């Protein structure tokens, strides 16, 4: 049985603290650069810093036992970086108090007892709407959503591909779940706090393609964007799809821990394997 090791390990604490220091430093650099070179340059520096500092930990975590000290360190390091960047950027863009609160909410994802708590997941997911590090992914998702809404309105029901079956707000993580619409993939995908589901993928004959299982997995990605930031989501996308890791991808295994469908490998961050989602057809929304 997979169980997360305790928060009270040197590796976990060192990872979070080091990550936080790196994240704060990088974000201050981006803010200083933005003031000197312009807002666009500042945003570019923040994105570049997030990508640069996440790539090696992501690759290393993908090849490491997640329960071992190094695996624990790397996961907390990536969360710490994102927490530090959210603290500084929200402190500048919003207010310093909001920055500290958002940074703390992000950082608590490094504590197993918090990450596993549905109450904390609700706070983290909703807070992600205010987190500067989540804005890029959610803004792209919002743009996709607007295109789908415009297409559905313009084409009405004459083209089934553009039809939106329903839009549901998932209160457990603050995510908008769009079933159908012009923009959807072969299965389902997440863009920050917006989830796109292909209705054709929902298939009650298989435990991991029931509606509940698919949404639970995708909202696991919503939580990951909030906790780890945009670079993590990008490397998840690359590893899963372009490098062929599929369900074995590190980000995929973390997202799947929010659904825990039978037979799926997970990094038990958002839920433990014994809390297997009842993927029975009767639970379909
Ligand atoms: Zn996924």
């Amino acid at each position: 049985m997979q169980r997360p090791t305790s928060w009270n390990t040197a590796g976990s604490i060192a990872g979070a603290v080091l990550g936080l220091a790196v994240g704060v430093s990088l974000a201050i650099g981006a803010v200083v650069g933005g003031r000197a070179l312009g807002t666009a340059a500042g945003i570019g520096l923040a994105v570049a810093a997030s990508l640069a500092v996440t790539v090696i930990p992501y690759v290393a975590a993908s090849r490491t036992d997640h329960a071992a000290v190094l695996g624990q360190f790397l996961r907390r390091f990536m969360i710490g970086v994102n927490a530090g960047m959210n603290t500084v950027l929200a402190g500048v863009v919003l207010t310093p108090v909001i920055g500290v609160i958002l940074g703390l909410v992000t950082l608590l994802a490094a504590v197993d007892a918090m990450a596993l708590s549905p109450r904390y997941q609700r706070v983290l997911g909703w807070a992600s709407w205010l987190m500067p590090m989540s804005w890029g992914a959610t803004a792209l998702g919002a743009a996709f959503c607007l295109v789908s809404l415009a297409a559905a309105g313009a084409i009405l029901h004459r083209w089934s591909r553009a039809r939106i079956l329903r839009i549901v707000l998932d209160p457990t993580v603050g995510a908008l779940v769009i079933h159908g619409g012009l923009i959807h993939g072969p299965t389902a995908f997440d863009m920050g706090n917006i989830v796109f589901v292909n209705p054709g993928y929902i298939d009650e004959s298989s435990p991991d393609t029931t509606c509940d299982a698919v949404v639970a997995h995708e909202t696991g990605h919503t939580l990951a964007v909030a906790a780890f930031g945009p670079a993590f989501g990008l490397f998840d996308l690359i590893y899963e799809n372009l490098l062929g890791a599929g369900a074995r991808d590190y980000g995929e295994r973390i997202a799947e821990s929010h659904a825990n469908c039978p037979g799926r490998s997970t990094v038990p961050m958002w839920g433990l394997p014994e809390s297997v989602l009842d993927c029975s057809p009767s639970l379909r929304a």
Side-chain angles (χ1 to χ4, degrees), residues 217-218 221 236 240 252 255:
H217 174 93
E218 293 306 325
H221 285 298
D236 178 353
E240 179 193 358
E252 273 301 286

Side-chain angles (χ1 to χ4, degrees), residues 218-232:
E218 293 306 325
T219 48
H221 285 298
T222 301
L223 293 171
V225 170
F228 295 97
F232 185 93

Side-chain angles (χ1 to χ4, degrees), residues 174-190:
L176 214 54
V177 183
I178 299 161
H179 296 261
L182 183 64
I183 296 186
H184 63 251
T187 57
F189 69 94
D190 164 76

Side-chain angles (χ1 to χ4, degrees), residues 28-48:
I28 289 174
V31 169
V32 171
R35 285 192 172 144
L37 305 170
T39 304
I43 293 171
L45 283 171
V47 172

Side-chain angles (χ1 to χ4, degrees), residues 39-144:
T39 304
I43 293 171
L45 283 171
V47 172
S50 174
L51 289 168
V53 81
T54 307
V55 61
I56 290 175
Y58 190 95
V59 172
S62 300
R63 297 159 183 251
T64 304
D65 175 6
H66 64 79
V69 172
L70 180 60
Q72 298 286 323
F73 171 89
L74 292 167
R75 179 148 62 93
R76 276 41 177 257
F77 176 81
M78 289 186 278
I79 293 169
V81 168
N82 194 46
M85 296 190 77
N86 268 329
T87 303
V88 174
L89 297 179
V92 171
V93 177
L94 302 172
T95 69
V97 172
I98 293 176
V100 170
I101 292 171
L102 290 177
L104 191 61
V105 169
T106 310
L107 191 63
L108 286 175
V111 182
D112 287 334
M114 298 299 289
L116 290 167
S117 159
R119 283 186 188 173
Y120 168 72
Q121 291 172 11
R122 185 181 291 257
V123 172
L124 177 67
W126 280 100
S128 189
W129 288 98
L130 290 176
M131 291 175 180
M133 293 301 285
S134 303
W135 286 345
T138 299
L140 198 54
F144 288 172

Side-chain angles (χ1 to χ4, degrees), residues 51 55 58-59 62 221 230-246 248-252:
L51 289 168
V55 61
Y58 190 95
V59 172
S62 300
H221 285 298
F232 185 93
L234 181 64
F235 296 134
D236 178 353
L237 182 80
I238 291 171
Y239 253 75
E240 179 193 358
N241 299 296
L242 302 182
L243 299 181
R248 291 176 288 105
D249 166 52
Y250 183 67
E252 273 301 286

